[in-house]
């Protein structure tokens, strides 16, 4: 344990002074004062809901205190955003990493720190990112998407991001929750070096072993108030727990007394390619079997096979002596197996649902009356288990998002207990929950085991495994490396089996002594040959799909490759590509714009009719008018969506009709023909420059500009970040609403510009211009690889997607497919194209994961 310096000799780098924060009518923290001293680690303890996260977010600039003040470096500060806190030298490692899976590792380290830059230096960022990753013990290709890393590796990236800020104050909120023992050791080594550099640190966690090992002082919160702050050396664990819960806590690891019954689960030679091999064990009724090992050793993978989520490649599973084969989780549930996943937020809860709805998800068939959900039946099924786990809540209709992590986990466990399982698999059941919630879960496990339930416990916390397990299996690299009975299992033996390393004691705690540098080595696709990297790109699938259409149709009709057809096809593609990029701008932020085609129509008719009435404004005037119409329309969409907080699909569905209506009123049933506008207006797109139609050159220039902005400017990367992880973007201070507003304004501007080109290209314009075109635009963007969920996609992919759709349409027309069948065949070919693209993308992902 580090030695704490006296208060008189240490600089106070940051502090909360009498801070109170109220949400609605709920007081989150009241009159809390905490000091963070240079070169020290202050541990912040408390149950879930005690106010720890609120203190973290106040210091980080996410929340503003209602009373009290923040003092940094002796000066009182009032942060209006996380970005201001970062500029003041405060870095935060959040409990759920505020990272962006679709951005590169290097971009994740520096996103939000570059300011308004029009030329990001990716080379310098990648070099510095590689250095920072080496510091935290992670060897990875920093140009690869962060999403290719495991959760624990992403947590190390979060550590590196905090280091990249060169902060004077570092706040670590549950930093070890997803880390293996080796990674925890590396993190603590980094903490030690930061202590030597005089960085003031706050460590928020629930693992008492880690708290007592890393901290100099401990501050305890209870019910939003500071109970006290003491030197770690002077505060016993029993006293710390009593301060947290308000009373002595007996039986953290209660033992059940029932004797094991008959074998209910027998696993023999179970294997799954590339994850685990030759796993054999028996599980008896009334027994708790612990699975130990490092993260990635195969523990969770075995659980997923036992629950029917994944298929084994060899071996057998027998329940009550009868061999069973699970093709789905529902079949495992029919055999009385339940699985509580380690990822409660991503896999176990529907965060927008109420407590009751979540707790009854697994028994919906029993919670209905006459085919309709019955609240009384839901309560009868779920309430006993929620009460057993002592859930803290105000109403069963309360959204599960409003609960603390510990209470969320209780809802997850009760959901599976409602199925009355005979075999319960618990994967990290107490990860990230407080000591009282842990005690409740442990008491529940002991009670269930005493009633005859067979339990598999997967945990990264050795004290929990040793305290709760009747027997233990230890895994290393997908193989069983040790088996221990309760009375023979020790920390030394388990760590040695899990790591194949010599163990040592540090401040009384047993840890693994690394037999090498401790740096995890991950080889990603940067080591692939250039040819393989080309084949791995999503765009390659689109090109393959185009060839699959062009070749057979060219054989049937040689006109497919004629100069006139290709020229017309290219000009149509230019128009579609520009508006597809406009749609891409909003899609990457997790929004959608259904009004782009209506904006095209309004801008096209507005520009053409004004040129007809006032030819003196010229081509430039017509272009500017069309762009202005588009800009105003896009800005209207953006303002309602961002500041009115109305879903984008609702807003743009409404404005689509509004813009169409305005266009109809403006046109009044008339049209503008080619002989009513200046010839220069028509020449704008039909003229050839070096043999290439001008519209194609305009489209290429537009795509290049959009591609540059999205790839090389801080604004473009922030748009991707917002779509990839909206909450993460907020936590690091990216101004999401102004950025989304800007995306809609830019999309409107491009749609208006496209309307002017449309009017020039097709000459005759009326109120029905681009009618129904929005579906083609959305199809082009999605086929081009832009994820509807936001955060990913390239301009090149969108261009390829637009071209593919037009090639399909053109080809089907040339082979004279009946118009009645055209849309059906068109849709079928699109699905095939998406299938080819998805196959290539999956191969690329597997290549990155296994290389």
């Amino acid at each position: 344990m580090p030695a704490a310096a006296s208060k008189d000799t240490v600089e106070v780098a940051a502090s909360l002074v009498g801070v109170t924060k109220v949400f609605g009518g709920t007081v989150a923290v009241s009159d809390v004062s905490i000091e963070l001293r240079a070169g020290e680690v202050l541990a912040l303890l408390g149950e879930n809901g005690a106010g720890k996260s609120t203190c973290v977010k106040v210091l980080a600039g996410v929340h503003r205190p209602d009373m009290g003040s923040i003092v940094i470096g002796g000066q009182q500060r009032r942060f209006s955003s996380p970005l201001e806190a970062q500029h003041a030298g405060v870095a935060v490692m959040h409990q759920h990493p505020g990272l962006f899976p679709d951005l590169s590792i290097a971009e994740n380290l520096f996103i939000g720190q570059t300011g308004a830059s029009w030329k990001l230096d990716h080379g310098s960022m990648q070099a510095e990112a590689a250095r920072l990753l080496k510091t935290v013990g992670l060897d990875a290709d920093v140009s690869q998407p962060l999403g290719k890393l495991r959760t624990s590796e992403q947590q190390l990236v979060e550590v590196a991001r905090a280091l990249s800020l060169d902060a004077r104050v570092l706040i670590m909120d549950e930093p070890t929750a997803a880390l293996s023992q080796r990674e925890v050791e590396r993190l603590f080594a980094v903490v030690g070096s930061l202590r030597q550099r005089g960085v003031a640190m706050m460590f928020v966690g629930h693992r008492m072993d880690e708290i007592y090992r890393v901290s100099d002082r401990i501050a305890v919160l209870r019910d939003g108030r500071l109970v006290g702050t003491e030197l770690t050396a002077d505060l016993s664990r029993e006293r710390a727990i009593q301060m947290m819960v308000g009373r002595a806590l007996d039986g953290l690891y209660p033992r059940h007394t029932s004797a094991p019954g008959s074998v209910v689960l027998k696993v023999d030679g179970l294997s799954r390619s590339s994850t685990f091999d030759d796993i054999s064990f028996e599980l008896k009724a009334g027994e708790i079997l612990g699975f130990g090992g490092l993260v990635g050793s195969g523990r969770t993978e075995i659980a997923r096979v036992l629950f029917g989520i994944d298929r084994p490649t060899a071996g057998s599973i027998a329940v009550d002596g009868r061999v069973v084969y699970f093709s789905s989780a529902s079949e495992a549930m029919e055999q009385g197996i339940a699985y509580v996943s380690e990822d409660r937020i991503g896999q176990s809860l529907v965060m927008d649902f109420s407590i009751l709805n979540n707790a009854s998800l697994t028994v919906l068939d029993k919670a209905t009356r006459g085919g309709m959900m019955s609240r009384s039946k839901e309560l009868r099924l779920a309430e006993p288990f929620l009460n057993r786990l002592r859930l803290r809540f105000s109403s069963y209709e309360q959204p599960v998002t409003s609960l603390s992590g510990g209470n969320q986990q209780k809802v997850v466990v009760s959901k599976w207990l409602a199925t009355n399982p005979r075999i319960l698999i618990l994967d990290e059941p107490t990860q990230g929950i407080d000591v009282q919630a842990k005690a409740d879960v442990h008491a529940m496990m002991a009670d269930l085991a005493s009633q005859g339930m067979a339990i598999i416990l997967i945990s990264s916390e050795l004290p929990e495994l040793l305290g709760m397990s009747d027997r233990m299996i230890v895994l290393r690299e997908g193989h069983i490396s040790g088996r221990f009975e309760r009375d023979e299992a020790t920390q030394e033996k388990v760590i040695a089996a899990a790591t194949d390393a010599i163990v040592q004691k540090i401040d009384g705690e047993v840890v693994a002594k690394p037999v090498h540098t401790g740096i995890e080595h991950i080889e990603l696709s940067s080591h692939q040959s250039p040819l393989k990297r080309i084949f791995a790109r999503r765009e390659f699938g689109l090109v393959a799909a185009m060839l699959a259409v062009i070749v057979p149709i060219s054989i049937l009709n040689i006109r497919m490759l004629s100069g006139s057809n290709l020229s017309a096809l290219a000009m149509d593609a230019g128009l579609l590509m520009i508006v597809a990029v406009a749609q891409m701008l909003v899609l990457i932020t997790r929004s959608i714009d259904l009004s782009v085609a209506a904006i095209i129509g309004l801008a096209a008719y507005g520009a053409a009719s004004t040129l007809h009435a006032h030819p003196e404004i010229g081509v430039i005037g017509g272009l500017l008018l069309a762009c202005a119409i588009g800009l105003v329309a896009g800005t209207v969409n953006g303002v309602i969506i961002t500041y009115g907080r109305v879903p984008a699909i609702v807003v743009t569905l409404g404005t689509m009709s509004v813009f169409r209506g305005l266009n109809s009123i403006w046109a009044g049933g008339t049209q503008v023909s080619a002989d009513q506008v200046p010839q220069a207006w028509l020449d704008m797109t039909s003229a050839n420059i070096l043999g290439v139609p001008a519209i194609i050159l305009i489209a290429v220039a537009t795509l290049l500009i959009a591609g540059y902005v999205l790839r090389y400017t801080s604004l473009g990367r922030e748009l991707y970040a917002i779509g990839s992880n909206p909450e993460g973007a907020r936590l690091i201070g990216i101004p999401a609403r102004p950025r989304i507003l800007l995306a809609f304004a830019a999309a409107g501007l491009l749609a208006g510009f496209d309307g002017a080109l449309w009017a020039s290209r097709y000459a005759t314009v009326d109120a029905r211009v681009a009618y129904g075109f929005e579906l083609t635009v959305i199809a082009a963007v999605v086929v081009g690889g832009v994820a509807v969920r936001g955060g990913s996609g390239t301009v090149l992919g969108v261009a390829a997607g637009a071209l593919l759709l037009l090639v399909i349409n053109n080809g089907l027309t040339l082979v004279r497919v009946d118009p009645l069948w055209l849309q059906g065949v068109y849709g079928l070919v699109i699905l095939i194209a998406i299938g080819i693209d998805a196959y290539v993308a999956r191969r690329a992902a597997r290549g990155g994961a296994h290389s």
Side-chain angles (χ1 to χ4, degrees), residues 433-472:
I433 67 177
D434 61 59
V435 65
Q436 178 63 66
K438 285 183 181 181
D440 292 341
V441 172
H442 292 157
M444 175 270 300
M445 290 171 59
D447 183 43
L448 292 174
S450 66
Q451 296 177 30
M453 186 178 293
I455 298 174
I456 293 176
L457 171 62
I458 301 172
S459 178
S460 298
E461 293 193 46
L462 267 181
E464 181 174 62
L465 278 177
L466 295 170
M468 295 302 301
S469 303
D470 297 306
R471 290 185 299 117
M472 191 182 305

Side-chain angles (χ1 to χ4, degrees), residues 347-371:
Q347 299 179 11
S348 299
L349 294 172
V350 181
M351 301 306 289
D352 294 330
F353 279 19
S354 68
I355 294 171
L356 185 59
N357 290 157
N358 271 283
S360 61
L361 275 175
T362 56
V363 288
L364 290 178
D365 57 327
K366 301 176 183 177
T368 57
R369 181 180 288 116

Side-chain angles (χ1 to χ4, degrees), residues 577-637:
M577 287 175 185
I578 292 172
V579 70
V581 167
Q583 187 68 250
M584 174 188 175
L585 291 176
V586 296
L587 270 183
I588 61 175
T589 67
R590 288 198 187 188
S591 299
I592 194 169
D593 189 352
L594 299 178
S595 69
V596 287
I599 295 174
I600 289 174
L602 185 60
Y605 187 84
S609 62
T610 302
L611 269 174
H612 170 53
H614 304 281
E616 65 275 8
I617 68 171
V619 173
I620 299 299
L623 269 175
L624 291 176
L625 177 61
C627 290
I629 291 172
L631 180 61
V632 170
T635 302
V636 168
N637 283 335

Side-chain angles (χ1 to χ4, degrees), residues 44 52-60 92 94 171 173 202 204:
L44 190 61
K52 302 187 304 298
S53 293
T54 301
C55 289
V56 167
K57 290 181 178 179
V58 167
L59 263 175
V92 184
H94 293 282
I171 303 171
D173 190 1
M202 177 191 285
V204 182

Side-chain angles (χ1 to χ4, degrees), residues 304-495:
R304 288 172 60 87
V305 169
L306 293 177
F307 192 56
I309 300 172
D310 298 325
R311 311 286 91 75
T313 52
S316 64
I317 301 170
V319 177
D320 293 329
R322 184 171 61 87
V323 175
V324 293
Y325 300 94
F326 300 139
S327 59
S328 67
S330 60
E331 292 182 5
M333 291 172 63
E334 290 173 1
Q335 294 294 325
I337 300 176
Y339 171 50
V340 177
S341 166
E342 63 178 333
D343 182 5
R344 64 172 174 262
I345 294 178
Q347 299 179 11
S348 299
L349 294 172
V350 181
M351 301 306 289
D352 294 330
F353 279 19
S354 68
I355 294 171
L356 185 59
N357 290 157
N358 271 283
S360 61
L361 275 175
T362 56
V363 288
L364 290 178
D365 57 327
K366 301 176 183 177
T368 57
R369 181 180 288 116
M372 303 293 289
M373 291 298 298
S374 167
R375 190 176 189 278
S376 60
K377 285 191 172 184
E378 280 188 284
L379 279 172
R380 189 162 60 250
L381 290 165
E383 192 172 29
F385 304 105
L386 293 172
N387 290 339
R388 174 189 285 186
L389 287 166
R390 296 196 291 185
L391 181 73
R392 295 183 181 181
F393 66 106
S394 58
S395 164
Y396 284 119
E397 303 308 317
Q398 182 178 345
V400 77
T401 51
S402 65
L403 297 178
S404 65
N407 284 303
Q408 288 178 355
Q409 186 71 333
K410 291 178 181 180
V411 174
V412 174
V413 174
S414 65
K415 175 185 76 172
W416 286 108
L417 292 181
T419 66
N420 292 315
R422 298 171 56 238
I423 301 168
L424 178 63
I425 305 172
L426 299 170
D427 195 350
E428 302 286 5
T430 63
Q431 178 174 285
I433 67 177
D434 61 59
V435 65
Q436 178 63 66
K438 285 183 181 181
D440 292 341
V441 172
H442 292 157
M444 175 270 300
M445 290 171 59
D447 183 43
L448 292 174
S450 66
Q451 296 177 30
M453 186 178 293
I455 298 174
I456 293 176
L457 171 62
I458 301 172
S459 178
S460 298
E461 293 193 46
L462 267 181
E464 181 174 62
L465 278 177
L466 295 170
M468 295 302 301
S469 303
D470 297 306
R471 290 185 299 117
M472 191 182 305
I473 291 173
V474 182
L475 293 144
R476 183 175 70 245
E477 297 178 356
H479 296 82
I480 293 178
S481 57
R483 298 175 187 267
F484 304 100
E485 297 295 328
R486 164 176 275 181
D487 56 2
E488 66 176 348
T490 64
Q491 289 196 30
E492 292 93 334
K493 289 180 180 179
V494 173
I495 291 178

